[in-house]
Amino acid sequence: MLKHVAEGVLVHVSEFIQSNSIVVQGRDGVLLIDPGITGDEMAALANDLCELGRPVVAGFSTHPDWDHVLWHPDFGDAPRYGTAGCAASLQDLLSHADWEARVAEGLPPEYADEIPMDLLGLVTGLPAGATHIPWDGPTVRIIEHRAHAPGHAALLIEDRRVLVAGDMLSDILMPFLDLAAADPLGDYLAALRLFENVADAVDAVIPGHGSVGGAGQLRARTEQDRAYVQDVRDGRVPDDPRIGPSAPLDWLPDVHKWQLLRLAERQQNQTP
C-alpha cells in the first residue's frame, strides 16, 4: 500500500479522489499526515506500519476539511496536531450537537458508510505561529497560510526535501478557494508565493489529492495554479485542463462555475 517518495517518506493513495496519506519515519515511530479516508484503508495502513515495526507516534492534519481529520483506533492514541486555526475550526464544528449531520452532508454517497466519524477532528492546536511539528523525527517545518481553508498548512520535510502541500498544488484539482475568507484570491496568490520561496529546497511535492510531483513540479504547479487564480480574478476564461472537456474528474467544471458564481455574488454585495 505504501509508495516510497524519498528517504523515510512514504505515501498511501486512497481511491477517493487520489487522496494522499503521508508517512514520515522517525527514530521511534512515524508521523502520519492526513491519515486516510475509509475505515478499511486506515486499518490496512495501520497493519502495514505494524508489520514494519513502526507505530504512529504523532499525527498532523494539514487543514480542517473532513477528509483530512479522520483517524482509526488501530493508529493508537498518539497526539494529533494541526495549526491553531485548524484546531479552532474543528472545535467550532464539534461544538454543535448536529455536527455529524453537518459533516455527512458533504460526504460522497458512495463512501459515506465506510467513513468512520467517531474520532473525526480530535486535533490539538499548536501554539499560534508554531513553525515546526513537535516530534522526535526529521525536522518538519510548518508553512501556514489561508488559501484553501482556515489554518491551512503545507509541511516542508527539510532533510528529505519533500513538500506536503495539503489541498494545493494538485495535478488533478484546480485551486479550491476559501470563499469564507476576506480575500480568497489574494490569499491564494500569497500562499503560492510562500511555496515559491522554498522551491529550491524541494525535490518532491505531495498534494492532498493527485500524483506526487518530482523535481521541478513545484514550480510548474505553482505557475499553473497562479494562472487559474489570476484568470478568475481578471475575468478571463482559464485555459486549464483540469476544468476543460478532458477534466480528470467530470464534476470539476461545475465546481469552477460555482466558485465564479460565489465570487460574483461577493463582489455584488460589496459594491455600494
Side-chain angles (χ1 to χ4, degrees), residues 230-267:
Q230 290 177 335
D231 284 344
V232 168
R233 180 194 64 189
D234 299 337
R236 296 187 295 267
V237 177
D239 180 18
D240 193 314
R242 296 171 294 185
I243 60 169
S246 59
L249 297 165
D250 58 10
W251 46 268
L252 286 178
D254 289 336
V255 175
H256 166 64
K257 293 174 185 176
W258 176 78
Q259 291 197 129
L260 294 181
L261 179 61
R262 289 290 309 277
L263 288 167
E265 290 172 348
R266 286 170 56 100
Q267 182 65 33

Side-chain angles (χ1 to χ4, degrees), residues 16-17 63 65 67-68 145-150 152 166-170 172-181 184-185 187-189 191-192 209 225 228-229 232 240 242-243 248-249 251-260 263:
F16 173 71
I17 322 182
H63 61 290
D65 288 354
D67 53 327
H68 295 261
H145 47 271
R146 178 158 190 166
H148 172 73
H152 194 282
D167 272 2
M168 299 179 70
L169 304 182
S170 171
I172 65 168
L173 303 179
M174 78 290 184
F176 281 33
L177 306 170
D178 180 4
L179 293 167
L185 297 168
D187 287 346
Y188 216 100
L189 294 172
L192 294 175
H209 306 274
D225 283 355
Y228 173 89
V229 174
V232 168
D240 193 314
R242 296 171 294 185
I243 60 169
L249 297 165
W251 46 268
L252 286 178
D254 289 336
V255 175
H256 166 64
K257 293 174 185 176
W258 176 78
Q259 291 197 129
L260 294 181
L263 288 167

Side-chain angles (χ1 to χ4, degrees), residues 157-213:
I157 309 167
E158 295 182 338
D159 293 345
R160 307 295 183 256
R161 298 180 61 86
V162 173
L163 181 73
V164 177
D167 272 2
M168 299 179 70
L169 304 182
S170 171
D171 60 330
I172 65 168
L173 303 179
M174 78 290 184
F176 281 33
L177 306 170
D178 180 4
L179 293 167
D183 184 9
L185 297 168
D187 287 346
Y188 216 100
L189 294 172
L192 294 175
R193 289 192 292 272
L194 292 176
F195 296 156
E196 281 185 321
N197 290 341
V198 299
D200 290 341
V202 173
D203 291 332
V205 57
I206 306 173
H209 306 274
S211 62
V212 176

Side-chain angles (χ1 to χ4, degrees), residues 57-172:
V57 296
F60 190 90
S61 292
T62 56
H63 61 290
D65 288 354
W66 69 265
D67 53 327
H68 295 261
V69 296
L70 298 167
W71 197 254
H72 194 280
D74 290 353
F75 293 144
D77 58 357
R80 299 162 57 187
Y81 300 117
T83 65
C86 172
S89 179
L90 290 167
Q91 288 166 7
D92 178 66
L93 169 68
L94 297 175
S95 70
H96 296 276
D98 64 342
W99 72 265
E100 288 194 55
R102 295 185 183 205
V103 174
E105 290 177 358
L107 299 181
E110 66 273 29
Y111 290 99
D113 292 339
E114 304 173 49
I115 297 170
M117 307 263 280
D118 6 349
L119 299 176
L120 180 146
L122 303 181
V123 168
T124 298
L126 295 173
T131 58
H132 294 84
I133 294 179
W135 83 299
D136 190 11
T139 300
V140 180
R141 190 201 313 175
I142 299 169
I143 303 174
E144 184 177 355
H145 47 271
R146 178 158 190 166
H148 172 73
H152 194 282
L155 301 174
L156 179 61
I157 309 167
E158 295 182 338
D159 293 345
R160 307 295 183 256
R161 298 180 61 86
V162 173
L163 181 73
V164 177
D167 272 2
M168 299 179 70
L169 304 182
S170 171
D171 60 330
I172 65 168

Side-chain angles (χ1 to χ4, degrees), residues 13-42:
V13 184
S14 169
E15 291 182 0
F16 173 71
I17 322 182
Q18 296 182 43
S19 299
N20 293 313
S21 299
I22 299 94
V23 171
V24 185
Q25 295 184 345
R27 187 181 66 183
D28 299 320
V30 304
L31 167 67
L32 182 57
I33 304 167
D34 293 346
I37 308 297
T38 70
D40 287 348
E41 283 178 341
M42 289 190 282

